[in-house]
Amino acid sequence: GESVGLHLPTLSVQEGDNSIINCAYSNSASDYFIWYKQESGKGPQFIIDIRSNMDKRQGQRVTVLLNKTVKHLSLQIAATQPGDSAVYFCAENPKAGGTSYGKLTFGQGTILTVHP
Amino acid sequence: DADVTQTPRNRITKTGKRIMLECSQTKGHDRMYWYRQDPGLGLRLIYYSFDVKDINKGEISDGYSVSRQAQAKFSLSLESAIPNQTALYFCATSDLAGGQPQHFGDGTRLSIL
């Protein structure tokens, strides 16, 4: 999972395996969450999002799970490929509807390495 | 995201110089943001703007200023650069509606000697 500090958590998997990246968020008022992928030399790229009225959301090869009870978010990547190697960030928005602040608070990131 | 363009992509400059980083977007979004990323850390918000007449400080605004010249343009200035402002800077945009993802440019790598 993600943690504060200079050394990012790392996850190494074999091509074809499933990957699970975890994130603990801090703000119980957050009701919108996003996962980003950042490749070397590029900006963060949107992967998938979820609102707090949902527990699970699926995309293409990715699934996000939200557990509000323990303030935990996870990203599952099915059949991981070498091109999935990147740093993955979770982000939370304190309030998604009504008078939304529109600001995101980012986690520290997890380095995913996929071995052929 | 090619719809969010940052210039320059790389910049090396000296302590005390004034520097401007520019961001333009073709997404038609009202909201624009400037972030800083340091090695091993997540992104930290410097300034954000919800429309042309709106400017707000983020968590690390000291030493920086911004200008929202138009809906599509948001620039970040370092009035007198110092070495600890060496970092990767990202611009992002999002739709006016709440609960929408932010879309990022590919960043400006800034080195201050």
Side-chain angles (χ1 to χ4, degrees):
Chain A
E2 299 189 2
S3 61
V4 176
L6 295 178
H7 301 287
L8 295 182
T10 60
L11 176 64
S12 292
V13 301
Q14 290 296 126
E15 182 176 2
D17 287 351
N18 296 331
S19 302
I20 300 175
I21 301 171
N22 297 301
C23 176
Y25 65 93
S26 57
N27 192 332
S28 58
S30 295
D31 60 356
Y32 176 62
F33 305 88
I34 309 172
W35 279 101
Y36 285 94
K37 171 186 180 183
Q38 186 177 21
E39 297 174 283
S40 181
K42 295 187 177 181
Q45 177 186 3
F46 170 78
I47 302 173
I48 192 168
D49 58 3
I50 188 169
R51 299 181 193 280
S52 60
N53 61 353
M54 302 173 69
D55 297 322
K56 177 179 179 179
R57 190 170 188 214
Q58 289 184 291
Q60 186 178 13
R61 282 202 307 119
V62 295
T63 300
V64 55
L65 299 178
L66 175 63
N67 185 330
K68 296 180 288 295
T69 302
V70 295
K71 292 189 286 188
H72 183 268
L73 195 67
S74 68
L75 177 70
Q76 300 178 0
I77 305 173
T80 315
Q81 303 167 3
D84 294 326
S85 295
V87 179
Y88 289 81
F89 293 94
C90 66
E92 58 182 303
N93 182 327
K95 197 170 183 179
T99 56
S100 170
Y101 297 115
K103 297 189 295 181
L104 295 177
T105 301
F106 285 82
Q108 305 307 310
T110 296
I111 301 172
L112 174 65
T113 302
V114 183
H115 300 283
Chain B
D1 192 323
D3 297 326
V4 183
T5 303
Q6 293 185 234
T7 56
R9 290 297 315 278
N10 293 280
R11 177 79 184 271
I12 300 173
T13 191
K14 295 181 179 179
T15 298
K17 293 291 187 180
R18 184 177 188 274
I19 302 157
M20 180 180 287
L21 309 182
E22 301 197 29
C23 177
S24 63
Q25 53 115 346
T26 58
K27 300 188 79 68
H29 288 165
D30 287 295
R31 297 180 173 184
M32 298 187 75
Y33 311 81
W34 274 105
Y35 290 91
R36 168 180 174 156
Q37 185 177 40
D38 295 278
L41 299 178
L43 287 90
R44 293 182 292 167
L45 184 63
I46 306 172
Y47 270 96
Y48 61 103
S49 169
F50 282 179
D51 63 45
V52 175
K53 297 179 181 179
D54 177 75
I55 299 290
N56 304 281
K57 292 182 177 180
E59 60 180 294
I60 54 164
S61 59
D62 287 349
Y64 301 95
S65 62
V66 291
S67 174
R68 185 80 185 266
Q69 300 95 323
Q71 186 206 38
K73 296 184 181 295
F74 192 36
S75 59
L76 175 72
S77 294
L78 287 68
E79 297 301 327
S80 180
I82 55 177
N84 74 3
Q85 291 178 311
T86 292
L88 198 52
Y89 290 85
F90 288 102
C91 174
T93 75
S94 68
D95 200 354
L96 182 61
Q100 298 295 324
Q102 293 179 14
H103 300 268
F104 287 80
D106 282 335
T108 294
R109 185 170 296 279
L110 179 62
S111 296
I112 299 163
L113 307 178

